[in-house]
Amino acid sequence: MYRTHTCGELTAADINRKVTLSGWVQTIRDKGFVIWVDLRDRYGITQLIFDAERTQEDVIKKAQKLGREFVIQAIGTVIERASKNPNIPTGDIEILVEELQILNGAKLPPFTIETETDGGEELRMKYRYLDIRRAPVRNNLIFRHKVAQHVRNYLSQKGFIEVETPYLIKSTPEGARDFVVPSRMNEGQFYALPQSPQTFKQLLMVGGMDKYFQIVKCFRDEDLRADRQPEFTQIDCEMAFVEQEDILNNFEGLTKHLLKEINGVEVTDFPRMTYDDAMKRYGNDKPDIRFGMEFGELNQVAQHKDFNVFNSAELVVGIAVPGGNSYTRKEIDNLIDWVKRPQIGSLGMVYVRCNEDGSFKSSVDKFYDQDDLKAWAEVTGAKAGDLICVLSGEIDKTRAQLSALRMELASRLGLRKANEFAPLWVIDFPLLEWDEETKRYHAMHHPFTSPKPGQMQLLETNPGAVKANAYDLVLNGNEIGGGSIRIHDKAVQSKMFDYLGFTKEEAQAQFGFLMNAFEYGAPPHGGIAFGLDRLVAILGGQETIRDFIAFPKNNSGRDVMIDAPASIDKQQLDELHLKLNL
């Protein structure tokens, strides 16, 4: 038996008990006549003591050979600790060691394996197996497990059945790029790794499963950003005989359950906002509604003077920054520089100080009088002591720029509190979006999304105006889930492929299996998929999803620990009938 107890469970109630512990050496303090060792495992830390008066000499000699991260087994008696440590559960006791076994030695680790480490991110990614020994990483992985278990239990209790779908599927042209897998036995043909189990879960509804879910790996070969991984995990769900309201109610329930069980937070309000309202009021389709600073469109009150910057703009829009009048000129100049960075792309910013005496002072006083600026304050909801920040330009670009500024200001003002949760449903998305590069419409979500009831005929006359029967669940400014009511009729699905530019032959080749299935009695159905990585990070009060993934890729999509992706040898290439042009 390697251990009778873990390193996190012994307390004063166990004094005088003989125990066996195993784990990793975290620290060693050798005072000559006494040696203390902190022994660590997944469950915690227990202090071992080797005392010259009470411990045999051969055991002390073994203890003197120990190094950090040695794997050891210690047998001894639980005694009261002379100098107690109130910061750990085992802080009242220590183990007077009688027998010591070195199970495995260890090289000196490349960084300190403690809560506060001296290792940089890239170094810790290279030695991720060591980083996992650190309490913050270990606890994040345990937290992820806890969230996943609650999801499974909740959905199972609601009658959902977990079904595994294939990883080796067919490549489709819609959405992001696929990761492809060459087939050795089928020369010149390829599988694709799924971007989602979308068509399979629809087929499960045709198969009568009624309520399906799966916690599933998905893959997208797309350009990487700081918080995006080439492989990610979804909570994938689908239901038959449902309308949008059924989906929203079911998954409000799941979200409430997770917030209560994981965070101890009771959330009852799930407001709903149309896509158009979200863009107009917040500049993006996943607004953080924990704080205000809603957009005020200023065209009618700012485009009547000789300020050509505003007069030539499609949109003039501002936000009121609470207490912002206290900013120094240097701090305001810093904000102007911030919005002019290439990542934001604004040409500049106009500002208005709202003074306590009711007067206004702006960077465009030459063009606008006090009545004008008062009207700006009314539109943006600015009060005495606030600062109005105004951007202008093309509608979409300006909204995106002001949205980024709003979030930056909220972070600086401490308004984005990790322990506050504000969910929001965004509904009525456009069904299609125009792509300037290809000069045709693409599905905003995917080609299986149904139009809102009664809008199918609009596809003939005004396709850009058609709204999708789709919905996103937003939490604290992050999209944590999205889905739609699906098309379940072959004729409607075929017509949708026509509008998206597929020929009949292309649609049959890519999705014939799904349309064929619709001929055998497909029920009305819809679903949603949650991004588990991001959901866990938000529930854990953090922004970075990598912290909650056991073996993440870096910003370049590489696993620096195993050095992947990597070349394969010529024999493998030949077996796969592949040739590289290097």
Side-chain angles (χ1 to χ4, degrees):
M1 183 182 293
Y2 281 109
R3 59 187 179 187
T4 58
H5 298 79
T6 68
C7 294
E9 65 177 303
L10 296 170
T11 67
D14 298 295
I15 288 175
N16 295 324
R17 175 175 291 181
K18 189 165 183 177
V19 298
T20 304
L21 301 182
S22 292
W24 289 263
V25 172
Q26 177 148 312
T27 58
I28 305 164
R29 299 180 299 283
D30 189 345
K31 298 295 183 182
F33 59 91
V34 63
I35 301 171
W36 290 279
V37 172
D38 282 346
L39 188 66
R40 179 192 69 242
D41 64 10
R42 185 189 111 189
Y43 307 94
I45 293 175
T46 298
Q47 181 170 281
L48 311 180
I49 182 171
F50 302 83
D51 186 335
E53 294 183 358
R54 295 176 289 178
T55 306
Q56 293 183 10
E57 186 177 351
D58 62 324
V59 176
I60 289 180
K61 285 182 178 179
K62 277 188 182 180
Q64 290 170 338
K65 296 177 181 178
L66 296 178
R68 281 168 47 196
E69 301 309 312
F70 274 43
V71 184
I72 65 172
Q73 179 192 55
I75 300 173
T77 302
V78 181
I79 62 174
E80 186 174 3
R81 187 165 167 169
S83 180
K84 294 181 172 57
N85 182 353
N87 298 318
I88 58 175
T90 61
D92 289 339
I93 58 94
E94 58 190 357
I95 310 301
L96 180 61
V97 178
E98 299 162 16
E99 299 178 43
L100 177 65
Q101 182 74 27
I102 297 175
L103 301 176
N104 216 333
K107 292 169 62 175
L108 187 69
F111 54 86
T112 305
I113 302 177
E114 295 181 11
T115 299
E116 298 297 327
T117 183
D118 53 1
E121 183 174 0
E122 195 73 7
L123 181 64
R124 289 185 287 110
M125 291 268 281
K126 185 176 181 180
Y127 296 94
R128 184 65 166 177
Y129 47 86
L130 297 180
D131 202 29
I132 290 172
R133 294 181 191 172
R134 295 176 51 242
V137 181
R138 180 180 69 243
N139 291 340
N140 283 347
L141 296 181
I142 295 171
F143 183 82
R144 181 188 176 106
H145 160 77
K146 183 178 177 183
V147 172
Q149 287 300 100
H150 276 289
V151 168
R152 279 195 165 94
N153 292 340
Y154 180 88
L155 292 175
S156 297
Q157 289 168 7
K158 295 295 181 181
F160 285 79
I161 304 299
E162 185 166 13
V163 182
E164 294 180 34
T165 53
Y167 277 165
L168 296 175
I169 66 169
K170 186 176 187 176
S171 183
T172 59
E174 288 292 314
R177 294 182 185 89
D178 289 324
F179 281 101
V180 294
V181 181
S183 171
R184 179 180 60 83
M185 293 183 290
N186 300 277
E187 183 176 351
Q189 295 185 316
F190 297 83
Y191 298 105
L193 299 180
Q195 296 182 34
S196 90
Q198 180 61 45
T199 54
F200 287 100
K201 64 180 179 179
Q202 291 189 247
L203 292 171
L204 285 170
M205 296 304 101
V206 177
M209 288 305 294
D210 193 66
K211 291 182 177 181
Y212 141 93
F213 85 100
Q214 182 181 190
I215 297 180
V216 60
K217 278 282 187 186
C218 300
F219 308 85
R220 290 181 187 169
D221 188 9
E222 56 188 351
D223 295 337
L224 297 169
R225 296 198 295 258
D227 207 31
R228 177 181 284 173
Q229 292 278 304
E231 54 180 309
F232 56 96
T233 306
Q234 283 186 180
I235 307 166
D236 199 59
C237 308
E238 197 81 2
M239 302 172 70
F241 302 109
V242 290
E243 298 176 334
Q244 177 177 292
E245 197 65 24
D246 300 304
I247 301 288
L248 269 54
N249 288 334
N250 268 276
F251 292 97
E252 275 183 24
L254 172 61
T255 308
K256 288 176 184 177
H257 175 79
L258 292 174
L259 287 168
K260 181 178 179 181
E261 296 298 322
I262 301 295
N263 298 90
V265 173
E266 295 268 5
V267 175
T268 57
D269 191 22
F270 279 69
R272 300 180 188 184
M273 185 182 300
T274 67
Y275 170 87
D276 291 341
D277 276 351
M279 297 304 294
K280 187 172 183 177
R281 293 166 60 185
Y282 298 99
N284 70 69
D285 59 4
K286 48 181 184 296
D288 190 337
I289 59 170
R290 286 175 293 179
F291 55 94
M293 288 195 278
E294 287 192 28
F295 288 12
E297 295 192 355
L298 300 168
N299 292 48
Q300 290 187 355
V301 294
Q303 290 184 323
H304 62 293
K305 293 293 180 73
D306 295 328
F307 188 48
N308 193 52
V309 172
F310 284 178
N311 292 342
S312 62
E314 276 190 300
L315 177 68
V316 183
V317 62
I319 54 173
V321 184
N325 193 28
S326 63
Y327 286 2
T328 65
R329 177 57 190 270
K330 183 178 179 180
E331 288 174 315
I332 293 175
D333 286 345
N334 174 268
L335 285 179
I336 295 171
D337 290 340
W338 191 88
V339 299
K340 291 166 74 173
R341 297 181 312 148
Q343 301 95 312
I344 308 300
S346 178
L347 296 177
M349 183 185 85
V350 168
Y351 66 89
V352 181
R353 291 183 179 276
C354 303
N355 298 319
E356 295 292 345
D357 62 4
S359 65
F360 302 93
K361 178 67 179 173
S362 82
S363 56
V364 287
D365 279 344
K366 178 181 177 181
F367 300 97
Y368 297 95
D369 59 28
Q370 290 292 298
D371 287 339
D372 292 323
L373 300 179
K374 182 180 180 182
W376 294 16
E378 290 173 354
V379 172
T380 59
K383 300 179 176 58
D386 291 350
L387 179 76
I388 304 173
C389 297
V390 182
L391 301 181
S392 63
E394 297 176 19
I395 291 176
D396 292 343
K397 287 183 178 178
T398 304
R399 283 175 172 169
Q401 291 160 358
L402 191 60
S403 176
L405 177 61
R406 175 179 179 268
M407 296 296 280
E408 175 67 15
L409 286 164
S411 294
R412 295 186 185 191
L413 293 168
L415 301 176
R416 301 179 65 194
K417 296 180 174 63
N419 59 351
E420 290 182 8
F421 298 94
L424 168 73
W425 285 109
V426 178
I427 58 175
D428 295 353
F429 283 82
L431 181 68
L432 307 173
E433 54 185 345
W434 181 256
D435 188 319
E436 279 295 336
E437 190 174 321
T438 60
K439 299 297 181 184
R440 69 181 181 93
Y441 282 105
H442 290 266
M444 180 172 264
H445 284 77
H446 52 62
F448 317 109
T449 296
S450 173
K452 295 287 282 189
Q455 295 203 3
M456 193 71 189
Q457 65 273 18
L458 267 179
L459 285 169
E460 300 277 2
T461 57
N462 190 5
V466 180
K467 299 299 183 185
N469 208 346
Y471 33 81
D472 279 358
L473 182 56
V474 176
L475 184 62
N476 295 0
N478 294 273
E479 177 205 332
I480 61 167
S484 66
I485 300 300
R486 324 301 188 189
I487 297 169
H488 66 280
D489 179 86
K490 179 181 178 179
V492 175
Q493 185 66 73
S494 181
K495 189 175 289 188
M496 179 62 69
F497 287 138
D498 292 341
Y499 289 126
L500 292 171
F502 287 85
T503 66
K504 295 293 185 186
E505 293 74 21
E506 287 171 338
Q508 181 63 33
Q510 295 293 335
F511 302 110
F513 66 92
L514 183 64
M515 291 194 288
N516 291 342
F518 286 172
E519 294 186 297
Y520 291 91
H525 59 282
I528 192 169
F530 287 77
L532 180 64
D533 307 306
R534 181 156 284 109
L535 174 62
V536 170
I538 295 170
L539 295 177
Q542 299 184 40
E543 299 259 336
T544 307
I545 65 173
R546 278 201 302 265
D547 293 340
F548 293 87
I549 298 173
F551 300 103
K553 308 292 188 291
N554 68 10
N555 290 353
S556 301
R558 293 197 65 82
D559 186 326
V560 296
M561 181 184 70
I562 64 172
D563 193 24
S567 301
I568 60 175
D569 63 37
K570 186 176 183 304
Q571 182 180 348
Q572 286 179 285
L573 289 171
D574 291 342
E575 287 178 342
L576 295 168
H577 318 288
L578 296 176
K579 292 182 179 179
L580 297 183
N581 296 319
L582 299 176

